Amino acid sequence: MSTPSTGSRGLGARLYRGLSSVPMWAFALVWLLPSLGLFVNSFRTRDGQRGSGFWRTVPDQFTIENYQTVFEANTVNSLGVSLLNSLAISIPATIIPISIAAFAAYGFAWIDFKGRKWLFIITVSILAIPLQVALIPLLKMYVGGAHLTLPFIGKTLTFIPAWGINGTSTAVWLTHTGFAMPFAIFLLHNYISSLPKDIFESARIDGADHFTIFWRLVLPLSIPVLAAFAIFQFLWTWNDFLIALTMIGSANPDALPTTVAIANLAGDFGRNEHLLPAGAFVQAFVPLVVFFALQRYFVRGLLAGSIKG
Amino acid sequence: MDRRPHTFAGDASRQAQGKDVGGAVQKLVTTIIGVLVAVGAFTALWVGANLVFNQATQNFKRFSALAGAIVGMVVMIIIDGNQLITGVGIRPDTWEWDALPIYVFWPLVGAGIGAIVGLVLSRLDGRSARLGFGIAAGLGIGLLIAAVLKSRYQLAMRTNPLLLWPTVGIVLAVASNALRRRDPLKGAVTGAFLGWLYGSFGGGLQGVAQANLTETLVAGGVAGALAGARIGLTSNPGVVERARIDEKSRAWIFVGPAFLFYTSMLILPAIQTFVLSLKNRDSDAWVGAENYRTVFTDPKNIDTSDFAGFWGSSILPWFIFLLVAGLVLAFLLGRETGQPLNFVGAPLVPLLMAGALLSFAVFTHLRGTIINNLWWVVGVTLLATSLGLAMAKFSDGAPGEAVAKSFVFMPMAISFVGASIIWRLIMYQARNVTKDQTGVLNAAWVWLGEVTTVQPGQLIIGLIFLLAAAALGFAAIRSLSNSPAAAGLYLVLSVFPLWVAYRTFNGGIGGYEFAESGDRIPLPNNFVQDGPYNNFWLMLILIWIQTGFAMVILSAAIKAVPDDFIEAAKIDGATDSQVFWRITVPQITPTILVVATTIMVNVMKVFDIVKVTTNGQFGSQVLANAMYQEAFLNFDRGLGAALAIVLFLGVLPVMVWNVYNLTKEA
């Protein structure tokens, strides 16, 4: 589709070609405008931000005080601490699901067992389940453990003791791990099941067992899709608000991730409004770096995850 | 925004401390080390399990011993972990390494006994020898466990359950084995074992004066002997059988951990939520469908009182105009392609616009949480998908494509919370009329009002819109010979700038009004708070995020359309837009549907944006936020669960559709 439009010739054609990218750039600039405004305002003084729009910035309004303030330990929610809290959630919530889902994806793709097809269909169909349906019982489980009372005889068995992990980052990344499973399996399965069948057959003939095939062949071959999922999951867990808010709450400064921290800042009804651009930019900085550095993998993962859906 | 302490999840002692970065760094390091240890231990376990099952085909005796050891250990962990038997010491309240023997003693004993039993069994081949050894070993183990059972779990047997449950067990197991054409004897023994266990320990009297060691020993011994007999009844597997064991168990090693995770964290909680939704707020009494009745009848959720206003809506004439225009264009296009009516192409634009306007007219007059959710689903899905398609088309092959696309794509990396803050501050901010507007939209709106109410601004702005209309008219004339439908589309579109120009010359457009004294007063729009259109402005935030997603997927799909098709069409004299509508769009329709359903599922659950911008006030409540408020702030678990289930019902059609596609594929 890259051929220029037919029709007019000469100057008209050149003009047409030049003009044909105008909608694209107009669109792109409109989309960029909000982020740009945020970035500019994050470097303006309180009075500057309140006095005029970001497009009227003058040099003497420049300050980095906003950034200093949001990192200070004794403001309402120090972003420094919550950045670390976010890492403590995102890192485990990215690493753990990858390994578990990779096993399962291989199992679904290349091990023949009874009920494989239906188990896979169930796995993929729960992709669409809204997280909300699991939140109340999960929080109850984190607070009080999981027990089953046997029917008729009234004896209670304990499967999970009352850990009381609500309010900690453990509860959040554990939840993310469980919720990530269906999508991770779906994405990795799409890729692993499309690996050429020959390599598996020849490896089997050479006497390799499933474990060896998985470890020596499939894992190295799957690096691109593993990277794609890792980026996905990292962005998702870093940017998550609902699960963190439910499992940690909004008033627990010890464990707040960045999203809850800036949402709290935004809830102050204007008192700290001049700090919001800096806070929001700090919150978005890590995912933006990941996004721009690894965009290629991200796009690949996006495509693999939805074209076949 | 709520600043109440979060008593369900929060904890006063935790709130007191914290806020120092050093402590947080230390905590992060501890977390990461903990995670590494956990991942390492899990991987080691997993690799170990694989190695054990490698032995099933390589060295069966070793496999049997290992499997016996693992089973023995797990059984003892369950029994000892629930503190049913006397330990070798008293467990401390907090973890100490000194207490390790107390925790590992019984599991190790179990592993040792299991290994010996497994090894001996793998060496015995005769049926009677296996059966005899199994019964003897099982009896011994049963007696041992019964002997060390804590005294409060000792029992006095009762006849009725002891007769009832083994009978039930035997009947059920024999019947199920007979149906599956398996050995009924094995089934009978299994059923008897489970029934006996349930009938003696479950149905007996525990912790009462009559409880005594003898009866406990009998109960344990019989249970053990039955379990042993069941194991003794199996024969050592041959080579083929071993390979089958390997394949079957391997499947569970690979799939099991993930299955365990999503079952325990998604499927079981979802079922529990459904059960909770049938109970009252403290889940201590059944209320049937009462919560659902509340969801669907409370005017907070569905409010039809204002629907009469729909007929007077100012949107309605525009809807009718666009609908008629779409039908006329479909007729024109049909004449070009030789069909009675053809909608794929120019007619789609006014028809989609008509659809969006109709939904707006309906949703602004039907109010409530559920209506808002529907509005979100329709509005965001429609706009994000079509804008994504438009950007994919605009950028395709244009110079600087990658950079421009990454601008549109970038919001995908920004959190919903961040995006809400950005739009609230940078775009939607409304300031007092006496001050400069700092939000982009209000600044532009007020500026328009300022300019178009005086000369020469009114003239200039009006002329600009007239010029735009003229350009569209010119485009219409140019494409008339090629495609009357396209010409018609340009004419339909030119009505909008014409209308704006008319409004400009008749008192101006934008945020200004005249006071009685004749003074002009700026009239900024409070985008976030003025209902019902604030819903649309909140949707725009999500559209800003989701358009990038639609663009990336659709752009890839457009590029995947074979060049041959396009070349062939161009040689036949098709214009760019004809190629797009008649070749590209039909080719990528499946992808468009996938994108639309994906966005739809995401929109259904929208929470963060509403929570951060309005917290559901000003008539902008949505289901997910209502669910959060009911369940975690009002502590009405029943109603919260019902709202969650309603949300689930919303995505159910998509789920069914996915399953249908998968079964067709597989």
Side-chain angles (χ1 to χ4, degrees):
Chain A
M1 289 278 293
S2 54
T3 38
S5 164
T6 51
S8 25
R9 286 169 296 272
L11 183 68
R14 284 222 300 280
L15 193 68
Y16 185 89
R17 268 195 74 180
L19 281 176
S20 70
S21 58
V22 167
M24 174 184 87
W25 284 111
F27 201 112
L29 291 178
V30 167
W31 245 246
L32 187 64
L33 188 71
S35 323
L36 187 74
L38 180 88
F39 184 69
V40 172
N41 261 3
S42 73
F43 288 105
R44 294 173 79 198
T45 57
R46 183 187 149 95
D47 292 343
Q49 286 185 41
R50 293 175 70 88
S52 60
F54 73 88
W55 56 95
R56 285 198 184 140
T57 304
V58 289
D60 59 2
Q61 290 170 344
F62 176 83
T63 177
I64 54 164
E65 207 177 294
N66 299 332
Y67 284 94
Q68 286 167 338
T69 315
V70 294
F71 276 109
E72 259 166 35
N74 47 10
T75 48
V76 187
N77 299 283
S78 163
L79 271 180
V81 176
S82 57
L83 278 173
L84 294 168
N85 289 332
S86 274
L87 279 179
I89 291 169
S90 292
I91 293 174
T94 306
I95 297 173
I96 297 175
I98 290 185
S99 51
I100 298 177
F103 304 153
Y106 175 83
F108 279 124
W110 296 106
I111 301 179
D112 213 9
F113 61 95
K114 214 173 141 191
R116 167 168 83 159
K117 181 183 143 189
W118 279 103
L119 198 55
F120 183 67
I121 288 176
I122 290 171
T123 310
V124 175
S125 66
I126 58 177
L127 247 175
I129 290 188
L131 314 177
Q132 277 85 354
V133 297
L135 289 181
I136 303 174
L138 271 185
L139 184 56
K140 237 171 76 180
M141 184 176 89
Y142 292 149
V143 177
H147 315 276
L148 178 71
T149 302
L150 294 174
F152 304 115
I153 59 173
K155 298 255 153 39
T156 303
L157 291 185
T158 296
F159 288 95
I160 296 171
W163 281 327
I165 56 170
N166 56 302
T168 66
S169 48
T170 311
V172 183
W173 66 251
L174 207 60
T175 312
H176 278 305
T177 305
F179 288 173
M181 260 335 126
F183 178 68
I185 294 174
F186 172 67
L187 189 71
L188 302 188
H189 175 270
N190 269 357
Y191 185 89
I192 291 176
S193 65
S194 68
L195 293 172
K197 204 174 175 163
D198 307 354
I199 57 170
F200 292 94
E201 277 168 1
S202 48
R204 289 295 275 185
I205 290 165
D206 290 344
D209 53 289
H210 281 302
F211 172 63
T212 317
I213 295 177
F214 175 76
W215 210 249
R216 295 271 167 80
L217 276 176
V218 174
L219 269 195
L221 284 173
S222 308
I223 296 291
V225 74
L226 295 179
F229 174 73
I231 297 164
F232 237 90
Q233 180 70 2
F234 182 82
L235 291 183
W236 163 247
T237 51
W238 184 276
N239 286 339
D240 160 74
F241 181 56
L242 174 62
I243 296 172
L245 191 62
T246 312
M247 300 301 168
I248 292 181
S250 61
N252 189 354
D254 206 21
L256 290 188
T258 48
T259 42
V260 183
I262 62 167
N264 281 349
L265 204 59
D268 286 347
F269 289 111
R271 199 149 43 81
N272 286 313
E273 205 172 71
H274 64 292
L275 297 178
L276 266 180
F281 188 74
V282 169
Q283 199 277 329
F285 184 72
V286 176
L288 282 176
V289 167
V290 171
F291 172 78
F292 279 114
L294 302 165
Q295 199 177 0
R296 176 199 304 267
Y297 286 108
F298 186 58
V299 170
R300 196 183 292 171
L302 212 56
L303 291 174
S306 47
I307 291 278
K308 257 184 101 180
Chain B
M1 185 115 307
D2 96 275
R3 305 279 299 160
R4 281 205 279 160
H6 206 260
T7 46
F8 201 11
D11 180 12
S13 69
R14 284 203 197 88
Q15 290 165 25
Q17 29 165 305
K19 287 189 186 176
D20 75 305
V21 177
V25 171
Q26 202 179 9
K27 207 183 64 185
L28 176 66
V29 171
T30 330
T31 307
I32 288 173
I33 291 175
V35 166
L36 285 179
V37 169
V39 168
F42 173 75
T43 313
L45 262 179
W46 188 77
V47 171
N50 270 295
L51 294 179
V52 168
F53 279 92
N54 279 354
Q55 298 298 329
T57 45
Q58 287 162 13
N59 181 339
F60 188 73
K61 290 195 179 83
R62 200 184 286 166
F63 170 71
S64 184
L66 282 170
I70 292 169
V71 170
M73 191 164 80
V74 170
V75 168
M76 288 318 282
I77 286 176
I78 293 171
I79 293 177
D80 187 39
N82 275 300
Q83 311 215 20
L84 301 179
I85 51 177
T86 321
V88 289
I90 294 163
R91 295 174 186 221
D93 288 338
T94 52
W95 170 254
E96 299 163 16
W97 283 101
D98 291 345
L100 188 67
I102 304 169
Y103 287 90
V104 298
F105 175 75
W106 281 113
L108 284 183
V109 170
I113 294 175
I116 294 167
V117 172
L119 192 63
V120 173
L121 270 178
S122 70
R123 282 170 190 274
L124 291 174
D125 280 327
R127 184 171 174 125
S128 54
R130 289 175 67 85
L131 194 59
F133 174 74
I135 292 176
L139 183 66
I141 296 168
L143 288 176
L144 173 69
I145 294 175
V148 295
L149 212 57
K150 282 186 178 165
S151 58
R152 72 186 129 115
Y153 292 112
Q154 286 184 350
L155 60 98
M157 284 193 269
R158 290 191 305 165
T159 327
N160 284 348
L162 218 48
L163 288 177
L164 172 69
W165 292 111
T167 317
V168 170
I170 292 171
V171 169
L172 284 179
V174 169
S176 102
N177 265 21
L179 279 177
R180 293 184 295 161
R181 290 159 196 255
R182 301 236 174 102
D183 186 359
L185 179 60
K186 287 180 186 169
V189 178
T190 314
F193 164 65
L194 292 174
W196 176 271
L197 208 58
Y198 212 68
S200 60
F201 286 93
L205 300 165
Q206 288 183 2
V208 292
Q210 303 95 306
N212 59 69
L213 185 62
T214 325
E215 285 186 45
T216 312
L217 284 175
V218 172
V222 172
L226 283 169
R230 173 66 187 84
I231 294 167
L233 278 174
T234 56
S235 47
N236 274 328
V239 177
V240 179
E241 184 72 356
R242 283 179 207 173
R244 213 179 59 79
I245 292 178
D246 176 54
E247 191 83 2
K248 207 171 147 186
S249 46
R250 200 68 68 131
W252 279 106
I253 292 178
F254 274 87
V255 177
F259 179 75
L260 208 67
F261 254 105
Y262 70 66
T263 310
S264 60
M265 308 200 76
L266 267 171
I267 297 181
L268 291 181
I271 295 169
Q272 274 178 296
T273 302
F274 177 67
V275 174
L276 287 180
S277 76
L278 302 176
K279 293 186 170 182
N280 66 353
R281 56 179 299 139
D282 299 319
S283 10
D284 49 18
W286 295 94
V287 295
E290 187 55 37
N291 289 317
Y292 292 95
R293 235 189 43 166
T294 311
V295 172
F296 287 108
T297 54
D298 191 333
K300 254 191 337 199
N301 296 322
I302 298 181
D303 179 4
T304 54
S305 59
D306 187 35
F307 191 67
F310 167 77
W311 302 108
S313 167
S314 60
I315 299 176
L316 222 46
W318 285 103
F319 160 71
I320 294 166
F321 164 68
L322 286 167
L323 183 70
V324 172
L327 291 174
V328 171
L329 291 186
F331 173 72
L332 286 176
L333 190 64
R335 277 220 322 212
E336 288 173 42
T337 55
Q339 290 149 301
L341 285 174
N342 185 352
F343 292 102
V344 187
L348 220 49
V349 178
L351 285 178
L352 280 176
M353 288 163 79
L357 286 185
L358 179 66
S359 70
F360 272 47
V362 172
F363 291 129
T364 48
H365 288 95
L366 284 174
R367 304 297 313 126
T369 309
I370 292 179
I371 305 296
N372 280 342
N373 242 66
L374 287 176
W375 193 1
W376 274 82
V377 168
V378 174
V380 177
T381 309
L382 211 64
L383 282 170
T385 312
S386 25
L387 286 173
L389 181 62
M391 182 59 188
K393 167 79 177 95
F394 291 155
S395 65
D396 193 46
E401 177 183 354
V403 178
K405 267 161 66 175
S406 71
F407 286 173
V408 179
F409 193 36
M410 190 185 64
M412 286 281 291
I414 294 175
S415 63
F416 286 10
V417 176
S420 310
I421 290 175
I422 294 176
W423 278 75
R424 216 181 73 179
L425 279 181
I426 308 297
M427 305 301 279
Y428 295 154
Q429 184 83 282
R431 292 215 179 270
N432 190 301
V433 291
T434 55
K435 291 185 181 149
D436 250 7
Q437 293 300 322
T438 55
V440 171
L441 292 183
N442 264 325
W445 186 238
V446 168
W447 176 82
L448 262 181
E450 196 176 348
V451 173
T452 56
T453 44
V454 286
Q455 300 301 351
Q458 190 179 53
L459 196 64
I460 296 171
I461 301 281
L463 280 179
I464 289 174
F465 280 105
L466 278 183
L467 214 62
L472 285 167
F474 178 69
I477 293 168
R478 256 187 56 139
S479 51
L480 187 60
S481 59
N482 202 317
S483 159
L489 176 62
Y490 288 127
L491 278 184
V492 171
L493 291 180
S494 72
V495 171
F496 291 90
L498 271 180
W499 182 72
V500 177
Y502 166 77
R503 289 288 303 268
T504 309
F505 290 124
N506 269 284
I509 49 172
Y512 247 83
E513 66 178 358
F514 287 94
E516 275 174 30
S517 60
D519 292 340
R520 281 178 312 163
I521 309 166
L523 198 63
N525 194 352
N526 200 335
F527 290 98
V528 174
Q529 295 186 358
D530 290 350
Y533 281 97
N534 56 351
N535 283 289
F536 172 74
W537 300 110
L538 300 192
M539 283 178 220
L540 205 55
I541 304 174
L542 192 53
I543 293 170
W544 182 64
I545 296 172
Q546 295 285 350
T547 298
F549 164 75
M551 176 201 70
V552 166
I553 309 272
L554 294 174
S555 174
I558 288 178
K559 288 188 198 304
V561 175
D563 279 341
D564 306 359
F565 289 14
I566 291 154
E567 290 306 319
K570 290 219 162 143
I571 289 167
D572 290 347
T575 63
D576 248 8
S577 68
Q578 282 171 332
V579 168
F580 179 72
W581 287 109
R582 298 201 194 149
I583 293 170
T584 312
V585 169
Q587 285 273 326
I588 64 170
T589 301
T591 315
I592 295 178
L593 286 180
V594 169
V595 168
T597 42
T598 311
I599 293 179
M600 208 186 288
V601 170
N602 286 337
V603 179
M604 195 81 77
K605 308 181 276 203
V606 63
F607 167 77
D608 313 20
I609 294 175
V610 174
K611 171 93 184 149
V612 173
T613 48
T614 64
N615 198 17
Q617 288 166 298
F618 317 113
S620 66
Q621 186 68 300
V622 289
L623 278 172
N625 194 45
M627 180 263 165
Y628 178 82
Q629 287 181 343
E630 291 299 342
F632 302 114
L633 302 177
N634 296 343
F635 305 111
D636 189 341
R637 276 194 229 156
L639 191 54
L643 285 162
I645 296 293
V646 170
L647 208 57
F648 170 70
L649 293 180
V651 297
L652 196 62
V654 177
M655 249 173 86
V656 172
W657 173 245
N658 279 348
V659 170
Y660 170 75
N661 277 337
L662 279 167
T663 43
K664 215 171 50 178
E665 219 171 82

